[in-house]
Amino acid sequence: MSSIRSFVLRGLIFLAVIYSMVAGLYYSWGVYKNYSSGRLDYVSHWESRMVDLKKAIPAGEKRVGYASDWDLTGFDKDSYIEFILTQYTLAPLFLERSLNHEWIIVNSTSSEFLGRVTGQITDPFTVRDFGSGIYLIHKGDQ
């Protein structure tokens, strides 16, 4: 009886090890295919969109404002993820969801949203368009 139980237990352990190896190889193959195809993952793609924006903000800045669709429509998961990715990409710069900064990043797919944001700014300002709904507002310029 003990030998049958031992045999079954060894068989189950063997199957678990084989399953783990197959699952690991399957996952690794998927990762390899994505990277070898030259496609960027979502984070790398977002980071590449922010390169010119990061260069446009002076190196001495510590905090910048941030506004997005979520300020117009309320919280949504995609806007939150984009906020986190922008914070990650621009680190050590700190993003604050506020318009009370000299530099303000606007991330919006809505053409009316940029107008609403700029309508709330009383100082002279300039807006630079980085494409794909990313804008940088600089207060103090005309």
Side-chain angles (χ1 to χ4, degrees):
M1 184 70 132
S2 168
S3 65
I4 294 174
R5 192 179 294 175
S6 175
F7 179 74
V8 169
L9 184 59
R10 286 183 187 159
L12 289 174
I13 291 172
F14 177 75
L15 289 174
V17 168
I18 294 298
Y19 174 78
S20 296
M21 289 172 56
V22 169
L25 288 172
Y26 177 77
Y27 175 75
S28 297
W29 179 251
V31 170
Y32 172 75
K33 281 187 351 186
N34 281 341
Y35 284 105
S36 64
S37 69
R39 292 188 338 215
L40 292 176
D41 61 282
Y42 189 71
V43 175
S44 297
H45 175 70
W46 189 265
E47 195 169 16
S48 70
R49 289 179 59 197
M50 296 288 139
V51 169
D52 291 334
L53 175 73
K54 189 172 187 173
K55 290 177 185 175
I57 300 171
E61 288 297 316
K62 302 274 189 247
R63 293 176 174 261
V64 297
Y66 184 88
S68 72
D69 289 335
W70 133 25
D71 297 308
L72 181 65
T73 61
F75 176 82
D76 78 81
K77 182 179 73 169
D78 291 337
S79 293
Y80 179 71
I81 290 170
E82 289 179 352
F83 173 76
I84 296 298
L85 288 173
T86 305
Q87 177 66 75
Y88 166 78
T89 301
L90 299 179
L93 199 60
F94 182 77
L95 300 183
E96 185 176 346
R97 294 189 56 239
S98 165
L99 302 179
N100 297 325
H101 294 278
E102 180 180 356
W103 298 90
I104 303 164
I105 298 168
V106 178
N107 176 14
S108 178
T109 55
S110 167
S111 57
E112 75 178 58
F113 183 72
L114 182 63
R116 284 187 175 192
V117 169
T118 57
Q120 295 178 29
I121 299 172
T122 56
D123 301 319
F125 64 90
T126 57
V127 177
R128 184 168 167 196
D129 185 353
F130 289 88
S132 301
I134 305 293
Y135 304 92
L136 181 63
I137 297 173
H138 180 224
K139 292 182 186 178
D141 286 349
Q142 288 189 3

